[in-house]
Amino acid sequence: MTSEDKSSSGEKIGVYVCYCGGNISDHVDVEEVAERLKSTPGVTVSRTNMFMCSDPGQELIAEDIRSGKVDRVVVASCAPSLHELTFRGAIQRSGLNPYLYEHANIREQVSWVHHGQGATDKATDLVRAAVSKTRYLKPLEPIRVDAKGHATVIGGGVAGLRAARDLSGRGLKVLLIEKSPFLGGRAVDLDKLAPTGESAGDLVRQLAETVLSDPNIEVMTCAEMTKAEGYVGNFRISVERRPPKSPADMEKIERLAASGKSNDGYVPFAGVFPQSIPESGETVSVETGAMVFATGFKPYKPQTGEFGFGDHPEVITLPQLTRILAENKANGRRLEIDGRPVRRMGMVHCVGSRQIPGIHDEGEDGHLNEYCSRVCCTSTLDAANRVRDRFPMTEVFDFYRDIRTYGRGHEDIYAKASGNRVVFMRYEPESPPIVGKSENSGYPLNVRVNDMLTFGEEVSVDLDLLVLSVGMEPNDIGDLVDMLKLPRGADGFLQEVHPKLRPVELANQGVFLAGTCQTPMDIGESCAAAQAAASKVSSLLSSGYVELDPFVAEVSADKCKAHGECVSVCLEKAISMNSAGANGPKAEVNPALCTGCGICVPTCPENAIEVCGWTLKQYEAMVDAIAAL
């Protein structure tokens, strides 16, 4: 790395402008931009392509590099977060340093917000600024740091178990941390899985047994991560184990004891109990190379009065019905709950999902769940089918906003429900079903709804039972979010870098996602995400070292006077004062911790700090290029 700011002589800059299939060229005259850039000093090649990120587009750049026409590259296309790595890879494969490259965003910053000649003019300005910066680029080398062949998985549900198993299979040592005394997560609250019909308990048991018998995997239950420091490849975490205290956990342990199961046995609606309970608290320090978050979700809890919940004991949630059906093994003419026959059962979709400001009440935290929880429709219809199959004299009424059976085989469940004579009624969110006490003494509940399938006609249905199909919410992991500064979306779930290009990676280097801590998923999707996370971790750690981008702060020892302002402002604690030098103390940057934010640069009174790849001289060149127009 170097922070020298001398412009190179005789640079050969290639400019490549993308049509983006019309995303850019519908509003920017791409050919005119390329033509204008031909006269810019230092530009030897200026080309266009329909999709610059495609193989032919990349080959266009590579051929110019190999032929010697170009020794620096400017790509004008979509946001760099999408294809910066794509173009760097193409440049590197062509034999050029991948950091002799600059990206101009003329889609999000131009074509999506401007039209006409102004769009073409602005695109030209941005590309010229990028060219000006490119003249001052210097070859950089990735930062290489040692990496431990160890990964930590946080969460012992299906996603966490699957991630741990795959990580071990790829040759890494693994620590699995689970907050509760049991393994299995929310999957243990299920009976049969839709659409396959396989046993959720069998799936959890098999996964847990594989993990518990693996010598490369250490499992800690009743455990929480309480401290984390370090950087990718070299994290140091503290794990605290303590005896269980929650009434729910104690109730499950009592059921385990009453069932006579062995310590590795599975207890329905509790999970797999892998080891003895800690009698006292203990804290363990662990060195690990990467972390996989598999912290799961919790079911939405309806507010008191929401569709009659809490006001009428006959109003329950779908997880409660699932447990009732699992524990009621006998079939019959009608479903019975606590000895009471259920002649008519209603089911309400989208409870705690797809909430609309101004229509739905905010939760205690002041938020609305505006997202779709995705799996609820299929789960609701599958439960309706099970009731109709096992208890044919129990009528089922389905009150829905939209049916979203999106997965493979899920639409068949909807078709079966129709064939099973489930009665569907569609409501608008502005006029949801109204739940009250039935005036008919034979039924405890009455539901009135404007059925849009009959053009808004009001329909009144008396019921014995009403089931609320509740959505998913992220688990409460605020302490971990604050500890590691993890990014969360507006919905409260952990936010990946990019849903398509980096779907299981966080912006935090060395931290990955698996399962429903990221977004609502079914079990198959959670396991796929866990496998992807394990693959990413393995690729990161398997070589014994990690390569990081070199866009980090660099101190000029000659200029540094050890004022210390840079140390105090650094948010990542990446700068320290090295007093061992022969010429007195100097500021020193740990490149593995530095994020290249640049906050240290203006605080230094000696101008002794620069960010590699984004020096002040490079910024000035960009500004001068724009100001001169």
Side-chain angles (χ1 to χ4, degrees):
M1 293 184 298
T2 178
S3 60
E4 265 192 293
D5 283 324
K6 296 179 181 177
S7 176
S8 62
S9 58
E11 65 271 356
K12 295 179 285 186
I13 303 170
V15 174
Y16 303 88
V17 189
C18 184
Y19 277 70
C20 201
N23 273 296
I24 292 174
S25 59
D26 283 353
H27 299 287
V28 173
D29 189 332
V30 170
E31 294 297 335
E32 183 177 343
V33 172
E35 187 65 28
R36 290 179 181 181
L37 266 295
K38 288 181 179 179
S39 61
T40 303
V43 173
T44 56
V45 169
S46 184
R47 306 186 190 278
T48 64
N49 190 271
M50 182 59 67
F51 293 104
M52 196 60 70
C53 62
S54 66
D55 288 343
Q58 294 180 54
E59 183 58 30
L60 196 68
I61 300 172
E63 179 57 32
D64 285 343
I65 294 173
R66 288 193 293 262
S67 66
K69 296 178 182 177
V70 166
D71 61 13
R72 281 162 176 73
V73 172
V74 172
V75 176
S77 62
C78 55
S81 60
L82 292 174
H83 288 298
E84 191 172 44
L85 294 179
T86 302
F87 294 119
R88 277 194 203 152
I91 292 168
Q92 187 169 32
R93 291 192 298 273
S94 307
L96 186 66
N97 185 285
Y99 298 101
L100 294 175
Y101 151 73
E102 183 61 22
H103 198 103
N105 180 358
I106 62 170
R107 189 179 72 174
E108 285 82 348
Q109 294 181 358
V110 182
S111 66
W112 281 6
V113 289
H114 299 286
H115 311 289
Q117 187 62 40
T120 300
D121 292 342
K122 181 179 178 181
T124 303
D125 294 347
L126 292 182
V127 180
R128 279 179 177 156
V131 168
S132 296
K133 178 190 174 184
T134 304
R135 297 195 191 101
Y136 294 92
L137 291 179
K138 296 293 181 179
L140 302 174
E141 295 300 326
I143 300 162
R144 179 176 290 192
V145 298
D146 292 337
K148 294 177 172 60
H150 182 283
T152 297
V153 178
I154 304 168
V158 167
L161 291 169
R162 182 64 201 236
R165 193 188 85 168
D166 282 25
L167 286 165
S168 174
R170 292 172 179 270
L172 297 173
K173 295 285 186 180
V174 183
L175 170 64
L176 177 66
I177 302 171
E178 167 54 40
K179 189 174 182 178
S180 78
F182 294 87
L183 299 176
R186 293 292 176 182
V188 303
D189 294 333
L190 305 175
D191 181 24
K192 302 292 184 181
L193 303 180
T196 61
E198 64 181 306
S199 167
D202 289 346
L203 172 66
V204 171
R205 186 185 296 109
Q206 291 167 9
L207 264 177
E209 288 176 352
T210 302
V211 167
L212 291 169
S213 62
D214 192 323
N216 286 330
I217 303 175
E218 180 183 5
V219 176
M220 288 188 184
T221 56
C222 301
E224 295 183 65
M225 185 171 69
T226 57
K227 185 179 180 181
E229 56 187 11
Y231 47 87
V232 56
N234 291 271
F235 292 109
R236 185 180 298 105
I237 65 174
S238 295
V239 181
E240 184 175 335
R241 296 191 70 215
R242 61 177 75 92
K245 294 181 180 179
S246 80
D249 285 340
M250 296 308 297
E251 182 268 334
K252 291 177 182 179
I253 293 170
E254 290 171 3
R255 282 200 290 122
L256 171 69
S259 69
K261 299 282 186 180
S262 62
N263 279 353
D264 61 351
Y266 173 81
V267 179
F269 299 96
V272 174
F273 189 72
Q275 60 192 61
S276 61
I277 302 170
E279 296 182 359
S280 60
E282 61 173 341
T283 300
V284 180
S285 180
V286 179
E287 293 184 346
T288 191
M291 290 179 272
V292 177
F293 273 73
T295 50
F297 77 98
K298 61 182 179 181
Y300 172 79
K301 183 179 179 181
Q303 299 182 47
T304 300
E306 188 173 4
F307 295 107
F309 185 81
D311 293 336
H312 304 280
E314 297 84 6
V315 180
I316 64 174
T317 64
L318 183 57
Q320 289 175 297
L321 177 66
T322 300
R323 182 162 183 171
I324 289 170
L325 293 175
E327 293 177 345
N328 188 352
K329 300 297 184 183
N331 298 337
R333 296 182 63 200
R334 289 192 176 97
L335 171 65
E336 291 191 2
I337 299 178
D338 297 329
R340 179 173 53 85
V342 178
R343 294 159 293 176
R344 290 179 177 175
M345 182 182 80
M347 309 186 82
V348 181
H349 289 244
C350 296
V351 180
S353 299
R354 303 176 66 203
Q355 295 175 325
I356 301 173
I359 293 178
H360 295 95
D361 295 330
E362 296 179 347
E364 294 180 358
D365 57 0
H367 288 86
L368 292 173
N369 297 339
E370 299 183 46
Y371 53 86
C372 172
S373 291
R374 302 177 74 239
V375 303
C376 322
C377 284
T378 300
S379 300
T380 302
L381 296 171
D382 182 63
N385 283 329
R386 292 175 64 192
V387 170
R388 292 291 296 154
D389 290 342
R390 294 177 57 188
F391 311 102
M393 295 302 291
T394 295
E395 300 176 65
V396 178
F397 296 83
D398 186 290
F399 306 97
Y400 73 98
R401 284 173 58 182
D402 299 287
I403 299 293
R404 294 182 170 181
T405 48
Y406 68 95
R408 182 186 294 271
H410 292 194
E411 189 71 8
D412 295 338
I413 297 174
Y414 174 50
K416 180 181 178 181
S418 298
N420 254 339
R421 300 177 67 182
V422 172
V423 180
F424 289 94
M425 299 182 192
R426 185 174 188 177
Y427 71 91
E428 295 287 356
E430 296 84 0
S431 54
I434 299 174
V435 181
K437 186 176 181 180
S438 174
E439 296 180 1
N440 182 344
S441 60
Y443 291 90
L445 296 175
N446 174 265
V447 175
R448 289 184 293 114
V449 63
N450 294 324
D451 179 18
M452 303 312 295
L453 299 181
T454 56
F455 307 102
E457 178 183 1
E458 183 175 278
V459 179
S460 177
V461 184
D462 291 322
L463 301 172
D464 289 310
L465 183 70
L466 184 64
V467 180
L468 307 183
S469 182
V470 293
M472 292 182 174
E473 294 183 321
N475 261 328
D476 299 322
I477 57 168
D479 53 343
L480 297 177
V481 169
D482 294 339
M483 183 190 309
L484 291 167
K485 300 181 179 66
L486 303 179
R488 286 198 288 194
D491 54 12
F493 290 92
L494 295 178
Q495 181 73 55
E496 72 281 352
V497 174
H498 190 278
K500 293 183 179 179
L501 302 179
R502 298 171 67 184
V504 295
E505 298 176 60
L506 286 171
N508 309 62
Q509 287 273 9
V511 185
F512 300 84
L513 298 170
T516 54
C517 64
Q518 177 183 8
T519 192
M521 299 181 183
D522 65 21
I523 285 180
E525 292 167 327
S526 293
C527 288
Q531 290 176 283
S535 177
K536 283 288 185 181
V537 172
S538 172
S539 176
L540 181 72
L541 302 180
S542 59
S543 61
Y545 62 86
V546 176
E547 287 191 342
L548 307 176
D549 279 338
F551 305 127
V552 298
E554 185 179 64
V555 178
S556 171
D558 295 336
K559 295 181 180 179
C560 179
K561 303 299 182 184
H563 293 288
E565 281 86 348
C566 56
V567 177
S568 61
V569 300
C570 182
L571 299 175
E572 304 299 329
K573 307 302 180 187
I575 307 178
S576 59
M577 202 59 65
N578 183 359
S579 59
N583 298 319
K586 302 288 182 181
E588 188 174 71
V589 177
N590 182 337
L593 287 175
C594 180
T595 61
C597 72
I599 194 172
C600 56
V601 175
T603 63
C604 179
E606 308 298 333
N607 292 325
I609 306 179
E610 293 274 23
V611 174
C612 296
W614 285 99
T615 66
L616 292 176
K617 188 66 177 179
Q618 292 163 358
Y619 274 115
E620 290 169 359
M622 297 177 75
V623 173
D624 289 344
I626 295 174
L629 298 174

